[in-house]
Amino acid sequence: MANENVVHLHVGTEIHEGWKDVSITLAIDRLSGQFDVSLTDSWIAHGQRERLKVTEGDACTVRIDGETVVTGYIDEVARDYDDASRRTSLRGRDKAGDLVDCSAPVQDWRDRTLAAIASDLCRPFGISVSARSAAASVTPFARFATNPGDTVAATLERMLRQRGLMAWSDGLGGLIIDTVTEDAPVATLQPGVNILSGQCTRSMADRYSAYTAMAHADGGADADDLEDADTITAPSGSATDPGVPRHRPLVLVAETQAGGPTLASRADHEAKTRAARAAQAVYSVPGWKNPSGALWRPRQTVTLQDDLLSLSGRWIITQVQFRQTDREGTVTELTVARAAAFAVLAEPEKATGARGWDEEDA
């Protein structure tokens, strides 16, 4: 039987393994996966071992038991030594890391879909785009333009907000555009059964008892003229969060455009997403695979039965960190949140000026 939980780093025709420490992080709330691996040679036992032949900038692929989890580049190579040993550490990211770092071209598009524009932006980096949601490939933008100086990631994020979508790396050198929803659970997590440790943070800091979304008042009145100001009325929508026990109101000033969300839906969305984001849990579980034998992956659904943290029901895995060290062995750290925390309310398209970019963002 082949060894399990083995990480191979492929660089050109070379395959490297035997790492002392491993950390591989994949997430749906960041565009790029990343890895950190290191190995240590003893001068006494392996004094003649050939030096690891890798260079910063090398293209690479990271695989766990033959399954690819990161396809990208080595960002950093660190080497150190003392009189007893020498150590090499490597850090890298998916190809999508370049989208986070690099500027988008100054360009505009007319009557093109999100999927088409995203493909144009990603193609120079050798990144393919898989639009799994119809919202990315059906309704075109009347006009969309980049803001000079914005990164490709920031440009993509602006488009994604207008279609109510998210994007993350597929680990194979491509980008997935989709929504985050609950699926059939891949596992049930329980203390004393398959949880090594658990931690939960709950916060009231960003939650409010009442939300009011108001449109810009268009009365042409002087803000200092109280008599005129009293005559101005603006449409509004409201929602409440019954989980907030004290008076904490929040007023949101929103744009209203044809085809955009209603003010009531804006207020309701704000209440639900803030409530969902207020609780996040992190669990450590043994090994790198779920009960079906597949690797843990972001966007998988799990059922929590945790009386110690008072958590239950279905939760979405938002981040997976595969770790392997002498101290803790082989473990996976799972960050979980409610699916509602990742709901994105589609924003209306903004008018563009003669300069070619959004007037509001200029």
Side-chain angles (χ1 to χ4, degrees), residues 2-335:
N3 291 333
E4 290 191 342
N5 303 321
V6 176
V7 174
H8 290 104
L9 175 68
H10 295 246
V11 181
T13 60
E14 300 292 325
I15 302 176
H16 306 284
E17 60 176 310
W19 309 104
K20 185 77 170 176
D21 297 300
V22 171
S23 175
I24 302 169
T25 303
L26 314 174
I28 55 174
D29 55 358
R30 62 174 66 177
L31 210 55
S32 174
Q34 66 181 50
F35 67 90
D36 292 85
V37 295
S38 63
L39 57 82
T40 302
D41 294 338
S42 167
W43 287 108
I44 299 174
H46 306 288
Q48 301 303 313
R49 181 170 178 172
E50 187 176 359
R51 179 177 174 178
L52 192 65
K53 294 181 179 178
V54 294
T55 304
E56 63 277 11
D58 281 348
C60 67
T61 300
V62 180
R63 296 176 182 171
I64 297 177
D65 296 342
E67 183 174 344
T68 301
V69 291
V70 174
T71 301
Y73 305 97
I74 296 173
D75 285 334
E76 297 179 9
V77 179
R79 292 186 169 94
D80 61 84
Y81 66 90
D82 56 25
D83 59 356
S85 65
R86 57 186 178 183
R87 180 184 180 90
T88 301
S89 300
L90 309 176
R91 174 175 295 176
R93 292 176 295 169
D94 271 308
K95 285 185 177 182
D98 283 345
L99 305 181
V100 177
D101 300 340
C102 299
S103 298
V106 178
Q107 185 176 348
D108 66 352
W109 295 261
R110 294 177 185 272
D111 298 320
R112 300 290 300 280
T113 64
L114 187 157
I117 298 172
S119 294
D120 287 349
L121 290 169
C122 294
R123 190 176 298 111
F125 300 93
I127 297 173
S128 60
V129 174
S130 174
R132 297 181 179 178
S133 171
S137 54
V138 173
T139 305
F141 289 95
R143 184 179 185 184
F144 183 85
T146 57
N147 292 327
D150 276 2
T151 63
V152 179
T155 303
L156 290 172
E157 175 63 22
R158 191 155 52 91
M159 283 196 298
L160 292 165
R161 286 200 309 268
Q162 293 183 17
R163 291 294 182 263
L165 299 171
M166 295 180 63
W168 57 88
S169 174
D170 64 3
L172 303 174
L175 207 61
I176 295 172
I177 296 177
D178 204 355
T179 56
V180 176
T181 56
E182 289 183 4
D183 293 320
V186 299
T188 297
L189 301 183
Q190 294 178 271
V193 177
N194 54 4
I195 295 176
L196 298 175
S197 65
Q199 181 266 333
C200 178
T201 300
R202 291 182 172 87
S203 174
M204 192 63 71
D206 293 322
R207 295 177 67 179
Y208 296 86
S209 59
Y211 296 82
T212 303
M214 300 184 66
H216 286 290
D218 187 15
D222 187 338
D224 294 328
D225 189 337
L226 296 180
E227 184 177 351
D228 287 343
D230 287 341
T231 67
I232 298 174
T233 59
S236 66
S238 61
T240 60
D241 181 350
V244 179
R246 67 183 188 273
H247 180 63
R248 281 177 55 81
L250 179 68
V251 175
L252 306 161
V253 179
E255 293 184 4
T256 56
Q257 297 186 26
T262 66
L263 293 170
S265 65
R266 284 180 180 273
D268 184 64
H269 170 80
E270 202 72 25
K272 289 179 178 177
T273 54
R274 285 174 181 260
R277 292 170 185 166
Q280 178 177 277
V282 180
Y283 290 101
S284 291
V285 297
W288 287 344
K289 298 178 180 179
N290 63 39
S292 71
L295 289 173
W296 292 105
R297 291 281 190 171
R299 203 172 175 271
Q300 291 175 342
T301 301
V302 294
T303 299
L304 299 186
Q305 293 182 3
D306 188 348
D307 294 336
L308 298 179
L309 296 180
S310 299
L311 298 176
S312 62
R314 293 187 176 186
W315 293 63
I316 300 291
I317 298 175
T318 64
Q319 178 175 291
V320 173
Q321 185 179 62
F322 302 109
R323 294 201 304 265
Q324 195 171 66
T325 65
D326 287 340
R327 182 178 63 83
E328 61 181 353
T330 301
V331 300
T332 303
E333 183 178 276
L334 304 174
T335 301

Side-chain angles (χ1 to χ4, degrees), residues 340-361:
F342 292 91
V344 182
L345 188 66
E347 299 178 355
E349 294 181 39
K350 298 176 182 178
T352 53
R355 293 166 295 177
W357 57 84
D358 291 349
E359 295 281 14
E360 184 175 307
D361 294 330

